[in-house]
Each structure stands twice: as C-alpha cells, then as structure tokens.
Amino acid sequence: LAYAHEESDRLQHRHIGTEHLLLGLLREDRSMAAEILYERGLRLNAVRDEIARRSVETELEGRAELQQPPEAALWIDEIRSYGQGLMAMANRLIRFYGGKESMTEAVFEDALTKGESPSKEPGQEEGERMHRGGTVRKTGRRTVLGLEKLLEDRIELVRGARVGLVCNQASVDHSLRHAADLFHERSELRLTTLFGPQHGIRGDVQDNMIETEHMTDRRTGRPIYSLYSETREPTEQMLEDVDVLVFDMQDVGCRIYTFIYTLANCMRAAKKYSRRVIVCDRPNPITGVHLGGNVLEAEYASFVGQFPIPTRHGMTVGELGRMFNEHFGIGCELEVVTMEGWGREQWMDETDAPWVMPSPNMPTLLTATVFPGTVHVEGTQLSEGRGTTRPFELIGAPYIEAEEYAARLMSLGLAGTYYRPSGFQPTFQKHAGRTCGGVQIHVTDREAFEPVLAGVATVKVAYDLYEEHFRWKEPPYEYVFDKNPFDVIAGTKTLREQIERHDSLETIHASWARGAADFKAERERYLLY
C-alpha cells in the first residue's frame, strides 16, 4: 500500500486506485503476486507509462468541465504582469488541481495568449524565465534512468552478485529514493560495499582537496570507502567482498569535474582485480549536443582531467565510460545500462529526471550551464563565487570596479550572455568577509551561450584591466604540486600564455576549433543516444 501511495504521488493523481495497487505489487518484487505478474510479462516502467498515458487522455476528455477558481484568475494576472516565477506559480496551480498538468497548461495558455506577453529581462533565473520566447520545452517522454532500468528490467546483470555501489546524494530515482536504499531492499543481489567520491557520499564537504574518511553507513550498515582520501582508486582490500561495481553518479557535462575520473579509476581497479563494472547512465544536464573549449594535453593530466577531451564534452557518463574503456584503453569488463526517453538535445529541465545538486557548489542547472567556463576562475585569485548563494555565476575581487569590468565584458558581444555589475561578499574561501566588485553572469539564450568562452573572458578581462593586482592561484591543486593550477584546470599552459600576451578572445576561441572537430569525430562511435 505504501508503494501504491508513492505511485499515485509520482503520477500526480488524487486517489489510490487499482492501477496504483498494481504498480505497488510490481515494486514489491519479493511477493508471490509480483513474481506472477513478472512471469506474465508485466514490467513496472511499461505499466506506469501506460497508466500515465491513459490518465492524460481521460483528463483531456474532461478538461472542459473543470472550472477555474477565483484564485487561478489572480495567478493568471501575475503571469501576464511579470513573466517571472513561472515555476512557483505552476506548482501552486498543480497543487490546486491535484496534479492535473493539462489543466495547468490551459491556464498558462490563457495567460500567454491574452493580453501582453510576459516580459523577459536579462538576469531572470533559468528556471523562472521564458525560454527563447516560450515556456521551457518538454517532450512529454518519461526519462527512465539507468538506475531504474537496471533494477526493473536488467536485474539479471546483478542477480546473485555482491555489489559495490559508487554513489552520492544525487544517486536517486524519480521518487528521490537513494540507490543504496533501493539496492539494500532487493533480494536478488547483495549490497556489500559503498564508495564515495569527492565531497563525500553525502556531498557535504565543501572545498576541493578536503579528503573524506572511511566510515559505516548508518542506514544499511555497509562500509563506505572514500575514493577521495589516501587513494582515489579502489584497492584490492576494498574490493574483497565485491563481484561487480555499480557506478551511479550525476555528471555536469564538463571535463573539469572529478566524478568521471572516479569512474575511470574504478574501471582500472576492476581490470586489475577481475571485477565487472556497470554504469547506470544519467542525462548530461547541459545537453549532449554542444561542445566547447580546448582539448586537454597529456602532460597536464590530473584528477580534474585524465583524458584528451574538450572542456564541454557533450557526452553522458555511460558514453564516456565506453570511450575510456575502448578508445583510451582501460579494457575492463564494462556494461552501460542506458536510459530510455532522453534525447541529446535535451537540457535537464526539459526532462522529468530529478535534479539533486551533485556537489555542494553545483546547486542548480544554471550553475552547471556556466560551470565549464567559470571553473577556470578557480585557477586564479579571483573569487568564483564560492561562499555565496551563486557559486560560478558571481566572479570578482576586492580590487575590481564592477561597472568598468562589466562594461568591458559586455563590449565583447558574446551571444546569449549578459554580464551584470555586481558586488558580493563571500562567507568563506577566497576574499571571505571582504566585498568584491565583479559581475554576475546571466544566460539570456542558453542555446547560443558558449560557457567556456564566457568564463575565460572573465579571466582575460580581469587580467587586461587589473594586471598589477591580478594573481594566478599557487600550487597545489587537486594533487598536482608542480604545475600552475590554472594550467591544470585548462589542461594546457597555452591558454594562460594567451591571456598573459593579451591575445584577443577571437584568437583564443579559434585555437580550440581543430581539437574540438577531431574529438567530435572520435566520439561518434561511443554515442548511445
């Protein structure tokens, strides 16, 4: 019955019906009823999708009978007047109608087709503004995550196995249930070990190069081994009670992010100690279409960049795993459990996939959108906004004059980008407690926006305007002690040298083209969607 309640909530229904009881039985996989249903070919995702489809059809048939309350008229006026807070208003409408999204869409249609169109100002939040003149596109498809597909349709891959799970707080299904709990409940497998990445298995450790301890998980009683500690690769002892490593982590679409290298290290250990690896795939939140930035050079390989791929790679974790394994020669026994219902062109908010911040300074999709560029600021003494509520969107330093800095950046004419003059005071990390002048980056057209270019521009312009104050970060950075941290982040010394020579942004941008084109051709054979 508890599962039936969850399924009703998931489908945004206002009742518990036999359809929800059926879904509950399918989820109660250890019951005799569930076994009988599975033997007759019923699968949870397929049944859930069919119920959702029929619910929408039934709702559309009765849509004309639904009456709008007085409150709805007020909300419509708000939408027409301001064009902001659309998500919050949608939630209020959805709650009123008990989850009847088609009715909510009807209300929005009234607001958007009668009277003045909602305004769109630079600086509106990504989730709050209109997208390219309309609401954010939704495909209507359900995005079945690799985690869900593994447990519901591909359970034979782990049946009877001792499983080591690589996860953190973002490893959830559509009901926001954690992968470790889901695995722990399943009788077909034995969850023996948990592995945590950078920032810890709960994502609570704020800064870089702050190692986490090994511990025991209170909920499951299983040991947690930190892969951001004295080792970043599972040891033979850690794998002693493991037959298969299952990797379920949310990436952010950028080369300069350690989770994909935790995967690579797990694959190396699996090869060395004859274990299998299963990757549960998740969406690239900033699409699988766009590429950007330079390709890493081998001598600058580190834990924030192990392979020659561009800064914005346009691949999913599963696709990268295949490329690491075959193209870059790790050679372990690898299985990727693909998603269903995700298309390469989709942003995370164009799917129904859940977003839980994958690391402490990656709170929103907008953060992930700008991150491939503004992560370069970590390699300088500029603040990248850590210690504020807008990490990687706010860039500045105490010596920067905000209006001057913003004006120079705006003069570059970068598509889809608005640099708003801003003052901010970090509560920790660089310049903690001091007021910084700088900018907040607002994305006005994310399809046209080039994050690497926009982020590198903030470093270049700060250097051009304030060279006497500007400083690069001092080593070490991510376990590299003998190289400039900016070079480690960029994966090359060329970018720093271009900035120091005052090369134009056009020259810098053009220098990335050949590497990106070669990579785009190489990656084709590893794409799954």
Side-chain angles (χ1 to χ4, degrees):
L1 189 58
Y3 284 146
H5 275 279
E6 287 184 11
E7 290 297 329
S8 178
D9 289 342
R10 178 190 294 223
L11 292 164
Q12 297 183 334
H13 292 170
R14 300 178 66 182
H15 67 284
I16 303 296
T18 53
E19 65 270 32
H20 308 112
L21 293 172
L22 174 61
L23 293 171
L25 284 173
L26 288 168
R27 286 181 58 180
E28 186 60 59
D29 59 285
R30 284 167 284 189
S31 70
M32 183 181 297
E35 290 180 7
I36 293 170
L37 292 170
Y38 270 86
E39 286 173 4
R40 281 156 176 72
L42 291 178
R43 294 294 182 268
L44 179 59
N45 275 330
V47 175
R48 185 187 287 138
D49 289 346
E50 181 64 15
I51 291 171
R53 184 184 66 79
R54 294 192 183 198
S55 298
V56 170
E57 288 177 355
T58 301
E59 179 184 337
L60 288 172
E61 290 170 5
R63 176 167 160 175
E65 300 173 8
L66 290 171
Q67 299 298 314
Q68 296 178 17
E71 294 91 337
L74 294 175
W75 300 335
I76 291 170
D77 288 341
E78 285 185 66
I79 298 167
R80 276 204 301 264
S81 299
Y82 302 108
Q84 298 187 26
L86 291 178
M87 296 303 292
M89 294 176 201
N91 288 335
R92 287 155 68 182
L93 287 164
I94 288 169
R95 281 198 297 273
F96 179 86
Y97 288 114
K100 295 187 178 297
E101 282 190 38
S102 62
M103 187 62 198
T104 304
E105 289 168 4
V107 173
F108 276 120
E109 286 170 10
D110 284 345
L112 299 177
T113 58
K114 297 175 184 176
E116 294 182 1
S117 297
S119 61
K120 180 174 74 172
E121 297 294 334
Q124 288 177 302
E125 297 304 316
E126 185 62 42
E128 294 178 348
R129 66 175 176 81
M130 306 292 287
H131 176 57
R132 296 175 69 85
T135 54
V136 171
R137 299 185 304 267
K138 291 280 186 180
T139 65
R141 300 194 301 263
R142 179 174 178 77
T143 303
V144 181
L145 303 171
L147 168 66
E148 296 165 331
K149 191 172 177 182
L150 173 65
L151 292 177
E152 293 166 7
D153 297 323
R154 303 291 307 279
I155 195 70
E156 74 278 359
L157 293 174
V158 289
R159 193 181 301 278
R162 299 173 299 169
V163 173
L165 177 63
V166 187
C167 60
N168 73 353
Q169 74 286 346
S171 306
V172 298
D173 68 359
H174 275 73
S175 297
L176 299 177
R177 299 193 69 204
H178 195 271
D181 298 331
L182 296 170
F183 277 51
H184 185 56
E185 293 172 359
R186 300 300 292 249
S187 60
E188 301 98 322
L189 57 90
R190 181 182 165 207
L191 178 66
T192 62
T193 315
L194 298 170
F195 295 91
Q198 184 183 13
H199 304 295
I201 201 163
R202 298 183 184 89
D204 57 325
V205 181
Q206 275 280 352
D207 217 341
N208 295 329
M209 292 193 69
I210 304 296
E211 296 180 343
T212 50
E213 298 178 352
H214 309 305
M215 60 186 73
T216 299
D217 182 50
R218 288 191 298 268
R219 187 172 178 86
T220 65
R222 301 298 183 256
I224 300 172
Y225 292 113
S226 170
L227 297 181
Y228 199 76
S229 58
E230 76 279 359
T231 180
R232 283 155 299 287
E233 181 177 308
T235 64
E236 186 173 17
Q237 182 181 4
M238 292 176 182
L239 295 173
E240 188 175 17
D241 201 24
V242 172
D243 300 315
V244 56
L245 277 167
V246 176
F247 185 93
D248 182 38
M249 298 286 298
Q250 178 63 60
D251 186 39
V252 297
C254 178
R255 182 191 71 222
I256 310 158
Y257 205 62
T258 60
F259 294 170
I260 57 176
Y261 308 115
T262 295
L263 170 60
N265 289 347
C266 286
M267 291 166 62
R268 292 189 184 94
K271 172 67 174 178
K272 192 184 303 181
Y273 302 118
S274 301
R275 304 300 199 270
R276 292 186 293 129
V277 176
I278 296 173
V279 176
C280 296
D281 215 0
R282 288 181 178 268
N284 182 324
I286 59 174
T287 82
V289 175
H290 302 289
L291 307 178
N294 62 287
V295 171
L296 177 137
E297 297 168 8
E299 66 180 290
Y300 291 94
S302 71
F303 197 46
V304 290
Q306 290 187 3
F307 303 104
I309 62 178
T311 316
R312 184 181 184 181
H313 50 67
M315 299 177 77
T316 69
V317 172
E319 292 170 339
L320 285 168
R322 296 182 69 215
M323 188 176 222
F324 295 169
N325 207 41
E326 299 174 37
H327 188 70
F328 297 122
I330 293 178
C332 73
E333 186 178 348
L334 175 70
E335 179 83 30
V336 177
V337 180
T338 57
M339 298 174 283
E340 294 178 6
W342 182 74
R344 306 204 70 79
E345 75 289 349
Q346 285 185 286
W347 296 77
M348 193 73 156
D349 60 4
E350 294 171 343
T351 77
D352 69 345
W355 172 268
V356 173
M357 59 184 191
S359 56
N361 289 287
M362 193 64 61
T364 68
L365 176 58
L366 181 54
T367 322
T369 302
V370 301
F371 179 77
T374 52
V375 65
H376 291 83
V377 180
E378 285 190 6
T380 75
Q381 296 298 347
L382 298 170
S383 169
E384 66 273 14
R386 288 179 186 268
T388 76
T389 59
R390 294 294 179 188
F392 299 104
E393 297 173 48
L394 288 167
I395 308 297
Y399 56 81
I400 288 179
E401 200 286 303
E403 296 288 345
E404 176 185 45
Y405 185 49
R408 179 69 70 88
L409 284 163
M410 286 301 294
S411 73
L412 298 171
L414 300 183
T417 312
Y418 189 91
Y419 296 99
R420 183 181 62 81
S422 179
F424 60 94
Q425 190 175 101
T427 59
F428 61 83
Q429 231 229 31
K430 300 175 192 171
H431 310 303
R434 301 178 66 191
T435 297
C436 296
V439 295
Q440 183 177 352
I441 300 178
H442 297 270
V443 180
T444 58
D445 183 343
R446 63 185 180 182
E447 294 294 342
F449 178 65
E450 294 189 53
V452 186
L453 195 62
V456 167
T458 65
V459 178
K460 172 180 165 47
V461 170
Y463 189 90
D464 289 346
L465 288 176
Y466 309 107
E467 185 174 350
E468 62 188 83
H469 300 289
F470 183 96
R471 298 290 182 272
W472 302 107
K473 185 177 178 65
E474 295 295 326
Y477 182 83
E478 290 296 352
Y479 302 99
V480 178
F481 296 85
D482 62 345
K483 290 184 175 64
N484 182 302
F486 186 86
D487 297 352
V488 174
I489 292 168
T492 179
K493 67 177 181 179
T494 301
L495 179 56
R496 175 176 53 82
E497 291 173 344
Q498 289 171 322
I499 292 171
E500 291 175 340
R501 286 197 306 264
H502 300 282
D503 286 0
S504 70
L505 197 62
E506 292 78 10
T507 298
I508 293 171
H509 191 205
S511 69
W512 302 337
R514 176 63 182 272
D518 291 345
F519 174 81
K520 188 173 183 180
E522 289 170 356
R523 76 172 188 154
E524 279 299 316
R525 59 182 295 205
Y526 305 106
L527 300 183
L528 295 166
Y529 311 92

